[in-house]
Amino acid sequence: MPPKLVRPAPPYLQIADTIRTRISNGELQSGDRVPSVRALMRDYGVAIATAQRALTSLRAEGYIRPERGVGSIVTTEDERGRAANDRVDKSRRTGKVYPTGQYAKITHAALDKASEQVADALGLEIGSAVIRRVRVTYRADDKPVSASTSYFKGELAELAPQLLSTDRIREGTFAYVASTLKRTIDAWQDQFEPAAATADQAAELGLDEGDLILVGRNWIYDDTGDVLEYGESITYGRVTYRGRLGD
Protein backbone atom coordinates (compact mmCIF):
# COMPACT_ATOMS: atom_id res chain seq x y z
CA MET A 1 0.00 0.00 0.00
CA PRO A 2 1.27 3.53 -0.72
CA PRO A 3 2.43 5.48 2.32
CA LYS A 4 -0.06 7.92 3.85
CA LEU A 5 0.86 11.57 3.97
CA VAL A 6 0.58 13.25 7.36
CA ARG A 7 -0.43 16.82 6.78
CA PRO A 8 0.16 19.47 9.47
CA ALA A 9 -2.83 20.57 11.50
CA PRO A 10 -4.29 24.02 10.75
CA PRO A 11 -2.35 26.84 12.49
CA TYR A 12 -5.16 27.64 14.94
CA LEU A 13 -5.22 24.01 16.12
CA GLN A 14 -1.44 24.01 16.56
CA ILE A 15 -1.66 27.16 18.70
CA ALA A 16 -4.57 25.77 20.73
CA ASP A 17 -2.69 22.48 21.25
CA THR A 18 0.39 24.35 22.53
CA ILE A 19 -1.67 26.28 25.10
CA ARG A 20 -3.63 23.15 26.04
CA THR A 21 -0.35 21.32 26.67
CA ARG A 22 0.91 24.16 28.86
CA ILE A 23 -2.28 23.87 30.92
CA SER A 24 -2.11 20.07 31.12
CA ASN A 25 1.54 20.00 32.26
CA GLY A 26 0.93 22.67 34.90
CA GLU A 27 2.91 25.46 33.28
CA LEU A 28 -0.30 27.47 33.18
CA GLN A 29 -2.34 27.18 36.39
CA SER A 30 -5.98 27.90 37.16
CA GLY A 31 -6.52 31.65 37.10
CA ASP A 32 -3.42 32.38 35.01
CA ARG A 33 -3.90 34.67 32.05
CA VAL A 34 -3.33 33.07 28.65
CA PRO A 35 -1.77 34.99 25.75
CA SER A 36 -4.07 37.57 24.19
CA VAL A 37 -5.11 37.63 20.55
CA ARG A 38 -2.54 40.33 19.83
CA ALA A 39 0.17 38.36 21.62
CA LEU A 40 -0.63 35.24 19.59
CA MET A 41 -0.61 37.25 16.38
CA ARG A 42 2.83 38.63 17.27
CA ASP A 43 4.37 35.41 18.61
CA TYR A 44 3.12 33.08 15.86
CA GLY A 45 2.91 35.54 12.97
CA VAL A 46 -0.73 34.69 12.26
CA ALA A 47 -3.80 36.72 11.28
CA ILE A 48 -6.32 37.95 13.86
CA ALA A 49 -8.92 35.37 12.74
CA THR A 50 -6.45 32.52 13.34
CA ALA A 51 -5.53 33.79 16.81
CA GLN A 52 -9.21 34.30 17.67
CA ARG A 53 -10.09 30.82 16.47
CA ALA A 54 -7.39 29.25 18.65
CA LEU A 55 -8.79 30.91 21.79
CA THR A 56 -12.37 30.17 20.72
CA SER A 57 -11.49 26.49 20.41
CA LEU A 58 -10.02 26.44 23.92
CA ARG A 59 -13.08 28.22 25.32
CA ALA A 60 -15.36 25.69 23.64
CA GLU A 61 -13.37 22.87 25.26
CA GLY A 62 -13.60 24.55 28.67
CA TYR A 63 -9.85 25.16 29.12
CA ILE A 64 -10.15 28.94 29.34
CA ARG A 65 -12.85 31.50 30.03
CA PRO A 66 -13.15 35.27 29.59
CA GLU A 67 -12.51 37.47 32.63
CA ARG A 68 -13.61 41.10 32.50
CA GLY A 69 -10.70 43.52 32.54
CA VAL A 70 -8.16 40.68 32.30
CA GLY A 71 -8.70 38.71 29.10
CA SER A 72 -8.85 34.92 28.99
CA ILE A 73 -7.79 32.90 32.03
CA VAL A 74 -7.27 29.20 32.71
CA THR A 75 -10.30 27.46 34.23
CA THR A 76 -10.30 25.16 37.25
CA GLU A 77 -10.39 21.38 36.87
CA ASP A 78 -14.01 21.40 38.07
CA GLU A 79 -14.96 23.92 35.38
CA ARG A 80 -13.24 21.83 32.73
CA GLY A 81 -15.11 18.76 33.94
CA ARG A 82 -18.46 20.53 33.71
CA ALA A 83 -17.61 21.81 30.24
CA ALA A 84 -16.83 18.28 29.10
CA ASN A 85 -20.17 17.06 30.42
CA ASP A 86 -21.98 19.95 28.70
CA ARG A 87 -20.47 19.17 25.30
CA VAL A 88 -23.55 17.58 23.72
CA ASP A 89 -24.94 17.83 20.21
CA LYS A 90 -26.95 21.01 20.51
CA SER A 91 -28.22 20.66 16.98
CA ARG A 92 -30.98 18.38 18.31
CA ARG A 93 -32.57 21.18 20.28
CA THR A 94 -35.96 22.21 19.02
CA GLY A 95 -35.54 25.87 20.04
CA LYS A 96 -36.81 27.99 22.88
CA VAL A 97 -40.21 27.38 24.39
CA TYR A 98 -41.59 30.44 26.14
CA PRO A 99 -43.61 30.42 29.36
CA THR A 100 -47.38 30.46 29.02
CA GLY A 101 -48.58 33.85 27.84
CA GLN A 102 -45.26 35.04 26.47
CA TYR A 103 -44.38 35.39 22.82
CA ALA A 104 -41.48 36.72 20.77
CA LYS A 105 -41.03 38.74 17.61
CA ILE A 106 -38.05 39.27 15.34
CA THR A 107 -38.05 43.06 15.11
CA HIS A 108 -34.93 43.57 12.99
CA ALA A 109 -32.89 41.49 10.55
CA ALA A 110 -30.31 43.24 8.39
CA LEU A 111 -26.64 43.71 7.61
CA ASP A 112 -24.66 45.90 9.98
CA LYS A 113 -21.05 46.71 10.89
CA ALA A 114 -19.31 44.78 13.67
CA SER A 115 -18.54 46.69 16.85
CA GLU A 116 -15.32 45.91 18.70
CA GLN A 117 -17.09 43.43 21.00
CA VAL A 118 -18.95 41.69 18.16
CA ALA A 119 -15.83 41.56 15.99
CA ASP A 120 -13.88 40.02 18.88
CA ALA A 121 -16.59 37.40 19.46
CA LEU A 122 -16.80 36.36 15.80
CA GLY A 123 -13.09 36.62 15.02
CA LEU A 124 -13.53 39.48 12.53
CA GLU A 125 -12.02 42.89 11.92
CA ILE A 126 -13.84 45.82 13.53
CA GLY A 127 -16.34 47.25 11.04
CA SER A 128 -16.71 43.99 9.10
CA ALA A 129 -20.14 43.15 7.71
CA VAL A 130 -22.31 41.12 10.09
CA ILE A 131 -25.93 40.03 10.09
CA ARG A 132 -27.83 41.45 13.07
CA ARG A 133 -31.12 39.86 14.21
CA VAL A 134 -33.07 41.34 17.12
CA ARG A 135 -35.70 39.35 19.02
CA VAL A 136 -37.96 40.89 21.67
CA THR A 137 -39.96 38.72 24.09
CA TYR A 138 -43.27 40.08 25.41
CA ARG A 139 -45.70 39.22 28.18
CA ALA A 140 -49.36 38.55 27.44
CA ASP A 141 -50.06 42.27 28.07
CA ASP A 142 -47.54 43.16 25.34
CA LYS A 143 -44.97 44.50 27.78
CA PRO A 144 -41.40 43.55 26.75
CA VAL A 145 -39.47 41.40 29.25
CA SER A 146 -36.28 40.71 27.32
CA ALA A 147 -34.45 41.60 24.13
CA SER A 148 -31.68 39.67 22.46
CA THR A 149 -29.49 40.34 19.44
CA SER A 150 -27.81 37.59 17.44
CA TYR A 151 -24.85 38.24 15.17
CA PHE A 152 -23.56 36.18 12.24
CA LYS A 153 -20.71 36.69 9.81
CA GLY A 154 -21.76 38.82 6.85
CA GLU A 155 -20.67 36.17 4.36
CA LEU A 156 -23.80 34.23 5.33
CA ALA A 157 -26.05 36.85 3.72
CA GLU A 158 -26.04 34.94 0.43
CA LEU A 159 -25.52 31.44 1.83
CA ALA A 160 -28.25 31.65 4.50
CA PRO A 161 -30.73 34.35 3.32
CA GLN A 162 -33.36 33.45 5.93
CA LEU A 163 -31.18 35.22 8.49
CA LEU A 164 -32.14 38.50 6.80
CA SER A 165 -35.87 37.82 7.17
CA THR A 166 -37.94 38.71 10.24
CA ASP A 167 -39.83 35.44 9.81
CA ARG A 168 -39.12 32.76 12.40
CA ILE A 169 -36.57 30.12 11.42
CA ARG A 170 -38.25 26.91 12.48
CA GLU A 171 -35.14 24.87 13.37
CA GLY A 172 -33.45 27.80 15.11
CA THR A 173 -30.82 30.13 13.74
CA PHE A 174 -27.68 28.26 14.79
CA ALA A 175 -29.04 24.93 13.52
CA TYR A 176 -29.96 26.61 10.23
CA VAL A 177 -26.44 28.04 9.89
CA ALA A 178 -24.81 24.73 10.81
CA SER A 179 -26.93 22.89 8.24
CA THR A 180 -26.14 25.48 5.58
CA LEU A 181 -22.40 25.24 6.19
CA LYS A 182 -22.54 21.47 6.72
CA ARG A 183 -21.02 21.87 10.17
CA THR A 184 -21.69 20.06 13.45
CA ILE A 185 -22.69 22.10 16.50
CA ASP A 186 -20.30 21.10 19.26
CA ALA A 187 -20.55 23.44 22.25
CA TRP A 188 -21.95 26.66 23.63
CA GLN A 189 -21.10 29.18 26.30
CA ASP A 190 -23.46 31.51 28.20
CA GLN A 191 -22.34 34.41 30.36
CA PHE A 192 -24.67 36.54 32.53
CA GLU A 193 -24.15 39.37 34.98
CA PRO A 194 -26.35 41.97 36.70
CA ALA A 195 -26.11 45.58 35.55
CA ALA A 196 -27.85 48.94 35.83
CA ALA A 197 -29.90 49.66 32.71
CA THR A 198 -28.54 52.34 30.43
CA ALA A 199 -30.92 54.88 28.91
CA ASP A 200 -31.17 52.85 25.67
CA GLN A 201 -31.67 49.54 27.51
CA ALA A 202 -34.31 51.07 29.78
CA ALA A 203 -36.20 52.44 26.79
CA GLU A 204 -36.09 49.05 25.06
CA LEU A 205 -37.66 47.26 28.04
CA GLY A 206 -39.91 50.08 29.27
CA LEU A 207 -37.91 50.57 32.48
CA ASP A 208 -36.30 53.49 34.28
CA GLU A 209 -32.64 54.20 33.66
CA GLY A 210 -30.58 52.53 36.40
CA ASP A 211 -33.08 49.70 37.03
CA LEU A 212 -31.43 46.34 37.67
CA ILE A 213 -31.28 44.07 34.63
CA LEU A 214 -29.43 40.93 33.61
CA VAL A 215 -27.00 41.30 30.72
CA GLY A 216 -26.08 38.14 28.82
CA ARG A 217 -23.63 37.05 26.13
CA ASN A 218 -23.63 33.67 24.42
CA TRP A 219 -21.54 31.81 21.85
CA ILE A 220 -22.45 28.78 19.71
CA TYR A 221 -19.42 26.81 18.44
CA ASP A 222 -19.03 24.23 15.72
CA ASP A 223 -16.72 21.21 15.93
CA THR A 224 -13.79 23.21 14.50
CA GLY A 225 -14.05 25.79 17.29
CA ASP A 226 -15.51 28.42 14.97
CA VAL A 227 -18.31 30.66 16.30
CA LEU A 228 -21.52 30.07 14.34
CA GLU A 229 -23.58 32.60 16.28
CA TYR A 230 -22.82 35.24 18.90
CA GLY A 231 -25.58 36.81 20.97
CA GLU A 232 -26.17 39.62 23.46
CA SER A 233 -29.27 39.96 25.62
CA ILE A 234 -30.91 42.07 28.31
CA THR A 235 -33.58 40.76 30.67
CA TYR A 236 -35.49 41.91 33.74
CA GLY A 237 -37.66 39.99 36.17
CA ARG A 238 -37.87 36.23 35.90
CA VAL A 239 -37.73 34.74 32.42
CA THR A 240 -37.74 30.97 31.91
CA TYR A 241 -36.61 29.16 28.78
CA ARG A 242 -37.16 25.48 28.27
CA GLY A 243 -35.57 23.33 25.62
CA ARG A 244 -35.89 19.73 24.54
CA LEU A 245 -33.07 17.39 23.64
CA GLY A 246 -33.42 14.45 21.29
CA ASP A 247 -32.61 10.91 22.34
Side-chain angles (χ1 to χ4, degrees), residues 39-52:
L40 293 177
M41 291 170 63
R42 181 189 65 244
D43 295 344
Y44 290 91
V46 295
I48 184 172
T50 299
Q52 282 281 5

Side-chain angles (χ1 to χ4, degrees), residues 68-146:
R68 171 170 284 189
V70 176
S72 294
I73 64 171
V74 179
T75 56
T76 65
E77 289 188 7
D78 284 346
E79 287 175 314
R80 291 196 285 276
R82 288 196 297 270
N85 290 333
D86 285 343
R87 216 171 289 140
V88 298
D89 185 2
K90 204 174 183 184
S91 62
R92 293 183 179 179
R93 287 187 60 170
T94 59
K96 286 176 177 166
V97 179
Y98 300 94
T100 302
Q102 290 189 10
Y103 64 96
K105 290 182 179 179
I106 304 299
T107 60
H108 177 89
L111 283 168
D112 204 341
K113 293 183 178 180
S115 66
E116 182 176 0
Q117 181 162 284
V118 171
D120 179 71
L122 290 175
L124 302 172
E125 297 282 354
I126 297 172
S128 296
V130 292
I131 297 172
R132 176 172 171 262
R133 285 175 63 88
V134 180
R135 181 182 65 243
V136 180
T137 302
Y138 301 87
R139 295 189 324 203
D141 59 3
D142 299 327
K143 180 176 177 59
V145 292
S146 69

Side-chain angles (χ1 to χ4, degrees), residues 122-176:
L122 290 175
L124 302 172
E125 297 282 354
I126 297 172
S128 296
V130 292
I131 297 172
R132 176 172 171 262
R133 285 175 63 88
V134 180
R135 181 182 65 243
V136 180
T137 302
Y138 301 87
R139 295 189 324 203
D141 59 3
D142 299 327
K143 180 176 177 59
V145 292
S146 69
S148 61
T149 304
S150 296
Y151 295 93
F152 309 84
K153 294 177 180 177
E155 64 194 39
L156 290 170
E158 293 186 6
L159 298 173
Q162 289 185 52
L163 293 175
L164 291 170
S165 168
T166 55
D167 292 335
R168 179 190 173 204
I169 298 177
R170 186 174 183 83
E171 68 267 42
T173 51
F174 56 81
Y176 170 57

Side-chain angles (χ1 to χ4, degrees), residues 235-247:
T235 308
Y236 85 94
R238 178 181 295 174
V239 178
T240 302
Y241 295 116
R242 292 184 292 112
R244 186 176 62 197
L245 292 171
D247 294 331

